[in-house]
Amino acid sequence: MKQWISEVQSEDLELRFSVDSIVHSENSEFQNILIADTVEYGRMLLLDGAVMTTVKDEFVYHEMITHVPLNVHPMPKKVAVIGGGDGGVIREILKHESVLEAVLIEIDEGVVRASQKYLPEISCALSDERVTILFEDGIEYLKNTENEFDVIIIDSTDPIGPAEGLFSKEFYESVFRALTTDGVFAAQTESPFLNREFIKAVYASISSIFPIAGLYLASIPTYPSGLWSFAIGSKIYDVTRPHCRHTVDGIATKYYTQNLHEAAFVLPRFVEELTIKK
Ligand code: SPD
C-alpha cells in the first residue's frame, strides 16, 4: 500500500505526494515539523502540513528570493533573513563575496535543528562563520533595528498563524527602517492563482512605503498552483535589472540568470493587474 502526505489548501484542493518514509516529525512550540522522503521530489520539509521545500526543486525558490535582491544592490555587505530556518536562503546569500555578515532571525529553533540533521544539502551554510543565528521573533527584532541591513529577505511560511504579521503594513515599515539608505528587501508572496486579494493588498502596502516596488514570478512545482510570486522593495535602485557589477562577477546557479532576473518582472496580464492601483 502506498503512503501519501498531502497539503490541504481548501475543501476543494489538496496536493498529494507519495512517500517512501517519514523521516522526522515533531511538534515544536510553534508548529508541526515534518520531514518525509517523497518519491517524486526527494526529501521534503513541511510546516503545519504546508510544503516548505524539497531537495529536487528548492533551488528555484531559494535562488529567486535571494539573487534578485542581492543583485539589485551594488555591494550587499550585511544581510538579514527573517524565517528561512532550513538555511536555503543563507546558502545562496553566502555565494556573494561582498557579504561579510548574514543574520538569520528564525522564531523556531526546531526548524533549524531538524534541517541541519536531515537536510544537509539545504542547511549546509548555517555553520559558516559569517552567519549569526538568532532564535527570535522577526517582527520584534526588526522593530528595534534601524539603518542596519543592505538587504532583508523575508522567507516566511504562508500567512496563517505565526507568519501572519510578516505580511502587515506595520512590519514592512519596520523593514524599511531597518534597511540602510540604499537598502533592498524581498519577500515570498504566495500564488497569483490562489491568493489574488492577498497579493494585491501586500503589493499595495509595499508600494506605499518603498519608492520602488516590484512583483516577480518563478515556477515552483511543489507549491500550490506551481506559479509563485515574490515582492521586492527598494529605496533607490531599479529592481528589474541586476547591478552591472554582478554581470561581471557571476554566481553558480541552476535557475537564476541575469536575463531571467529581468524576465521574471514581465508579468502576465492577470498578475500585472494585481500591481495596478485603481
Ligand atoms: N506555500 C509555501 C510557502 C513557503 C515559503 N517559504 C519556504 C521556506 C523555504 N526556505
Side-chain angles (χ1 to χ4, degrees), residues 77-191:
K77 290 187 182 140
K78 190 166 179 185
V79 181
V81 182
I82 308 293
D86 54 69
V89 172
I90 288 286
R91 184 195 64 202
E92 295 305 312
I93 289 171
L94 295 187
K95 290 181 180 173
H96 292 254
E97 277 180 10
S98 64
V99 173
L100 304 175
E101 193 181 349
V103 183
L104 180 83
I105 303 108
E106 164 63 63
I107 199 165
D108 192 345
E109 183 169 359
V111 176
V112 171
R113 299 292 168 235
S115 303
Q116 284 178 316
K117 189 158 180 194
Y118 300 109
L119 291 163
E121 47 289 85
I122 299 176
S123 62
C124 51
L126 287 173
S127 53
D128 190 283
E129 56 183 15
R130 287 174 287 168
V131 178
T132 304
I133 304 179
L134 304 171
F135 296 114
E136 286 179 36
D137 179 352
I139 298 175
E140 290 307 311
Y141 178 86
L142 285 192
K143 264 187 202 161
N144 306 313
T145 309
E146 226 171 282
N147 194 23
E148 197 168 325
F149 295 102
D150 301 310
V151 176
I152 297 176
I153 297 174
I154 319 298
D155 180 13
S156 69
T157 55
D158 299 310
I160 314 157
E164 218 176 319
L166 298 174
F167 297 91
S168 70
K169 192 164 176 195
E170 291 75 8
F171 178 67
Y172 297 131
E173 283 163 351
S174 301
V175 171
F176 187 90
R177 279 193 304 273
L179 286 166
T180 49
T181 50
D182 62 349
V184 182
F185 105 101
Q188 75 86 6
T189 48
E190 305 282 306
S191 159

Side-chain angles (χ1 to χ4, degrees), residues 7 51-53 61-62 86 155-156 158 188 190 223-224 228:
E7 171 168 345
V51 177
M52 290 297 118
T53 197
Y61 178 92
H62 291 131
D86 54 69
D155 180 13
S156 69
D158 299 310
Q188 75 86 6
E190 305 282 306
Y223 284 179
W228 212 249

